[in-house]
Amino acid sequence: MTEPEGGPDMVSFRELARRLVADGVVETMSHQRLSKIAREDPAFPPVVPVGRVKAVDYRLARPYFASRSTRPGWRTDLKGKPPAE
C-alpha cells in the first residue's frame, strides 16, 4: 500500500468517531465501539498510544471503515457469531 503524501493525520478515538460520522462514512460511532473493534479486528489500522489516549491515522482508518461490512442488530447473545462472508 502506498502512503498518501504528507505526514500521518493522527486522531484520538473520540475524534475518529466524530470525523467518521461528520464525513458520512458511518451513521453512528462511539469511542467505546472503536476500542472494541480495535481489540477484536486484526485488520484495524495500527493504534498508537499517546499518553493515556489511543490514536490512529485517519487516512488509514477512513478507508477501513468505508469498506467494512456491518451487521446492525445482530444478537450474538442469541444467535452466536454472524456467518462469515
Side-chain angles (χ1 to χ4, degrees):
M1 181 165 116
T2 62
E3 285 291 317
E5 289 187 31
D9 183 9
M10 301 303 287
V11 295
S12 69
F13 278 13
R14 284 185 191 272
E15 177 63 11
L16 177 58
R18 188 198 66 74
R19 277 200 204 179
L20 289 171
V21 173
D23 289 351
V25 178
V26 296
E27 285 188 38
T28 62
M29 183 61 65
S30 68
H31 68 279
Q32 295 95 336
R33 180 72 179 128
L34 287 171
S35 291
K36 182 174 172 46
I37 294 169
R39 279 192 312 271
E40 295 177 353
D41 188 352
F44 194 84
V47 176
V48 178
V50 179
R52 293 178 43 198
V53 176
K54 294 178 183 174
V56 66
D57 187 349
Y58 186 70
R59 296 177 313 160
L60 299 176
R62 189 180 199 287
Y64 166 83
F65 280 97
S67 65
R68 186 170 186 269
S69 64
T70 59
R71 293 185 188 346
W74 187 271
R75 295 284 308 264
T76 57
D77 58 333
L78 300 177
K79 300 178 185 179
K81 290 198 175 214
E85 292 190 18

